[in-house]
Amino acid sequence: MAGQDKPQLLTGLLKSVMIDAKTYKNFDLGKLNFDLSAQLTDGMFVVKKDIQEHIQGQVEITDAKSFAPLKDSTVKKKASSKDPRIRANANRILFETNNLWKNQKIKKATKTTQRAEMTIGSTREDIGVYLQEGRDDMAARPFFGISPKVEPKVERLIVLQIDRILRDS
């Protein structure tokens, strides 16, 4: 699994919302236009902002507890770097050149795909996997995903649109 692209998808959330939508009676859902692409894309931007806030705050995306501290050897290595960006972030977890924080890319949902996707960028994929999952010699620092705080907000965006579609049908 290490090294594979691990995009964060809202597809599963969409499926759970669609199941809820089937509880509306007297509707043939196959005839309704469930274009949720704008809400899925908006939701992914909410997720991106939340991820960036967790990284900035130095807390895990899963439960908002502080990241495991850096080893002294890591701090020393970063502090002695020739790159001033790395030296400036010697004590900060998930910060060196700020590429991990800035390189989150969102692929917008479309009417045909009905899926928004976010990756951390091809230059950060391998690093992201071992930061997220950890290694034998390094603690996991989960930073990428949909947090428990944001998931209901994203779901609400989608549910409100489904309600509008059903009401207008």
Side-chain angles (χ1 to χ4, degrees):
M1 219 170 196
Q4 291 179 345
D5 182 43
K6 292 191 165 196
Q8 180 66 52
L9 302 175
L10 286 177
T11 309
L13 181 59
L14 174 60
K15 288 178 184 171
S16 70
V17 172
M18 293 296 264
I19 291 168
D20 291 342
K22 289 180 182 178
T23 63
Y24 288 91
K25 298 185 182 204
N26 302 323
F27 285 102
D28 179 355
L29 295 179
K31 292 183 180 179
L32 297 176
N33 178 15
F34 272 101
D35 181 7
L36 304 172
S37 57
Q39 290 71 31
L40 290 166
T41 299
D42 290 348
M44 192 55 75
F45 280 99
V46 170
V47 169
K48 179 179 180 177
K49 181 179 181 214
D50 186 53
I51 288 171
Q52 290 176 335
E53 287 173 357
H54 277 83
I55 292 172
Q56 189 73 26
Q58 303 283 275
V59 294
E60 295 182 4
I61 195 80
T62 51
D63 56 14
K65 69 179 184 180
S66 294
F67 287 130
L70 294 172
K71 292 180 182 177
D72 289 340
S73 60
T74 302
V75 174
K76 288 178 186 174
K77 180 180 174 185
K78 289 172 72 174
S80 65
S81 173
K82 292 180 181 180
D83 188 328
R85 298 172 299 171
I86 296 173
R87 282 195 314 271
N89 291 305
N91 292 309
R92 298 194 67 208
I93 299 161
L94 302 182
F95 280 88
E96 269 194 12
T97 60
N98 293 328
N99 285 335
L100 185 67
W101 189 60
K102 292 179 180 178
N103 280 349
Q104 298 162 8
K105 306 290 183 212
I106 291 178
K107 183 178 179 184
K108 294 180 179 183
T110 66
K111 189 173 183 174
T112 54
T113 65
Q114 293 296 302
R115 179 178 74 199
E117 182 177 341
M118 180 172 33
T119 63
I120 59 172
S122 60
T123 62
R124 301 285 103 182
E125 281 177 11
D126 292 338
I127 294 168
V129 170
Y130 76 75
L131 289 170
Q132 185 82 7
E133 298 176 358
R135 300 187 307 195
D136 290 342
D137 62 338
M138 187 184 89
R141 295 180 175 97
F143 70 96
F144 195 72
I146 301 174
S147 74
K149 176 184 113 185
V150 164
E151 185 174 3
K153 293 177 183 179
V154 173
E155 186 172 354
R156 183 160 169 72
L157 286 171
I158 296 165
V159 168
L160 289 173
Q161 179 62 14
I162 290 172
D163 286 344
R164 279 189 287 275
I165 291 168
L166 293 174
R167 185 182 57 244
D168 296 343
S169 295

